Amino acid sequence: MRQQFLRRAALGVSLALAGLSAQANDADGVKIGVLTDMAGVTADATGRGSVEAARLAIEELGGSVLGKPVALVSGDHQHRPDIGSGMVRKWYDTDGVDVVVDVPNSSVALAVQGIAREKKKLVLFSSPGTTALTQAQCSPYGVQWTYTTYALSRGTATAVVKEGNKRWFILASDYAFGKQLAADTETVVKANGGEVVGTVFHPLNASDFASFLLQAQASKAQIIAVANAGGDTISAIKQAAEFGIASGGQKLAAMLLLLTDVHSLGLQAAQHTYLTVPSYWDMNDGTRAFSKKFEARLGRPPTFLQAGVYSSLRHYLRAVQAAGTTDSDAVMAKMKSMPIDDPFSLNAHIREDGLVVRDMMLAQVKSPDQSKAPWDYYNIVRTIPGDSLAWPLSESQCPLVKK
């Protein structure tokens, strides 16, 4: 009896302290942490632009929530899980951060997911693509907001194989994102009647792709799938041109191609490339209005990763207001029950595994003569229903999914 009394008393104290902690956080307002890449291979596609996208979301909602100010901090994880996780642990433990957003680099994201789960704090992933975030390593406190490797490979590889390009070689980055994107691409190619005749992995932030491209040329594949990101994608495609890949009859398929990548490559080099995008700055009046404000600060429209930071944080702040608290469980429940309402999100909702299921678009890079204005880079070929791009719940490895 005495032991039961002590256990109940301890539980009561714990719950009371948790309640006081939530009240204290509410009293201090909301604090956002943007964990991003300020100087690495994805800096142009995330980085400072992700921070400004977060600021615009805060400003759009008046700079406050629940009558208290919304504060913002940012940090550069340098593509190192130890640096990223250490920064996030400090943010959660001592700096009063309520939610972390962005997190380019899947290896860093998986480390941060573990800390967020441990601390019962929210993290909204705009930039990492590994499906592990909403599969085996899913969390009740994590949301994979913008895209997955599964979605991009389903959209792009399906379209390219159906054009008759059956024989593939995959060039991928040697970390969690690239490995997952390579695996997902191979699965889609085979499911559509194609074959992968070879796969090679390169180190992150590589400068010389010569040996990898020589292997791809020697494979006689019709398609060389470039499964990496940012500066690595740009370098690989530029060096492929120098090696005469296209003149030799082989074609490139970029499995993740961002607006900034196309700009760096130029339309002459990137034209006619198929890609799958969750959003585009020129989609509608709402995206054009946001992009005009973004461009006034950054000199260009947002990438879909930066747009994802804006829309994920906007939804979070609206959920805090609706829930009347910053308590993570209450806010997450509200985020999942509320419709996602922003111009960059098409028919989007948060699934029980933390994945945002959304319609995406199959796009094709314009030729130089088709582009009529700066950053007018994509023809939208068709809309792809979100359910066809999401890992089936019936096959989910996420413990949160009820079967």
Side-chain angles (χ1 to χ4, degrees):
M1 291 288 291
R2 183 172 180 272
Q3 289 178 339
Q4 289 180 352
F5 173 79
L6 290 173
R7 281 198 296 268
R8 288 173 181 169
L11 178 60
V13 170
S14 176
L15 292 173
L17 288 173
L20 288 172
S21 176
Q23 291 174 16
N25 286 342
D26 291 346
D28 294 337
V30 177
K31 197 166 189 179
I32 315 298
V34 182
L35 186 66
T36 190
D37 169 18
M38 289 294 191
V41 293
T42 55
D44 285 346
T46 60
R48 182 173 162 238
S50 291
V51 176
E52 289 303 323
R55 285 201 179 102
L56 284 166
I58 294 168
E59 291 169 12
E60 187 176 298
L61 296 176
S64 66
V65 66
L66 303 178
K68 299 292 181 180
V70 179
L72 184 148
V73 296
S74 62
D76 182 357
H77 58 46
Q78 301 176 43
H79 288 277
R80 288 179 51 182
D82 58 334
I83 290 176
S85 57
M87 192 175 299
V88 167
R89 188 177 293 277
K90 179 178 180 295
W91 281 354
Y92 286 152
D93 285 346
T94 65
D95 295 346
V97 166
D98 296 288
V99 61
V100 171
V101 299
D102 199 17
V103 202
N105 188 299
S106 292
S107 299
V108 177
L110 290 169
V112 170
Q113 177 98 304
I115 294 169
R117 186 190 298 109
E118 172 195 341
K119 301 296 181 182
K120 298 185 178 180
K121 293 278 193 173
L122 298 185
V123 54
L124 311 178
F125 298 107
S126 176
S127 296
T130 179
T131 54
L133 288 167
T134 45
Q135 286 292 311
Q137 298 189 49
C138 70
S139 164
Y141 302 101
V143 177
Q144 192 163 20
W145 191 266
T146 310
Y147 78 104
T148 64
T149 55
Y150 183 85
L152 296 188
S153 59
R154 293 269 298 180
T156 305
T158 298
V160 175
V161 173
K162 286 184 175 179
E163 285 193 334
N165 301 292
K166 302 289 188 179
R167 188 176 170 88
W168 286 56
F169 186 97
I170 300 174
L171 170 62
S173 51
D174 192 12
Y175 71 109
F177 167 78
K179 290 178 178 178
Q180 188 66 61
L181 187 52
D184 290 340
T185 299
E186 182 168 2
T187 298
V188 174
V189 169
K190 289 180 176 178
N192 284 277
E195 63 173 328
V196 174
V197 297
T199 301
V200 64
F201 295 95
H202 68 81
L204 184 67
N205 203 13
S207 59
D208 185 2
F209 287 85
S211 63
F212 310 117
L213 291 169
L214 285 171
Q215 291 180 60
Q217 278 186 313
S219 73
K220 305 299 182 183
Q222 294 168 284
I223 298 292
I224 300 172
V226 181
N228 48 23
D232 284 334
T233 303
I234 295 166
S235 296
I237 294 176
K238 282 183 176 178
Q239 291 178 39
E242 294 169 5
F243 272 77
I245 294 290
S247 60
Q250 293 174 303
K251 302 175 186 176
L252 296 179
M255 307 314 296
L256 172 61
L257 192 65
L258 294 156
L259 193 69
T260 45
D261 301 335
V262 175
H263 185 74
S264 295
L265 287 164
L267 291 180
Q268 188 64 44
Q271 63 182 316
H272 308 312
T273 301
Y274 280 112
L275 64 155
T276 300
V277 292
S279 68
Y280 177 45
W281 72 268
D282 201 18
M283 285 168 55
N284 53 53
D285 289 344
T287 59
R288 285 187 284 272
F290 173 84
S291 298
K292 185 176 181 180
K293 292 186 289 186
F294 185 93
E295 190 166 359
R297 301 185 183 192
L298 273 294
R300 57 168 175 76
T303 65
F304 66 68
L305 303 179
Q306 293 158 342
V309 171
Y310 159 76
S311 60
S312 64
L313 186 51
R314 183 180 187 275
H315 189 67
Y316 167 80
L317 292 172
R318 291 178 66 243
V320 169
Q321 187 68 45
T325 179
T326 57
D327 175 75
S328 296
D329 292 294
V331 173
M332 179 61 82
K334 190 62 68 173
M335 289 181 70
K336 288 182 175 179
S337 66
M338 289 172 56
I340 297 175
D341 180 23
D342 71 80
F344 288 98
S345 297
L346 302 175
N347 299 320
H349 65 278
I350 304 175
R351 219 165 57 168
E352 57 195 285
D353 57 359
L355 175 68
V356 172
V357 178
R358 62 172 71 244
D359 291 355
M360 296 190 186
M361 296 167 289
L362 180 67
Q364 190 173 32
V365 178
K366 291 183 174 183
S367 61
D369 62 300
Q370 290 176 320
S371 180
K372 304 304 180 186
W375 300 95
D376 175 28
Y377 290 163
Y378 298 161
N379 284 316
I380 303 302
V381 179
R382 65 174 179 268
T383 298
I384 309 172
D387 288 340
S388 70
L389 299 174
W391 196 294
L393 281 176
S394 60
E395 301 174 12
S396 177
Q397 303 165 21
C398 174
L400 301 175
V401 175
K402 297 176 183 178
K403 296 182 179 179

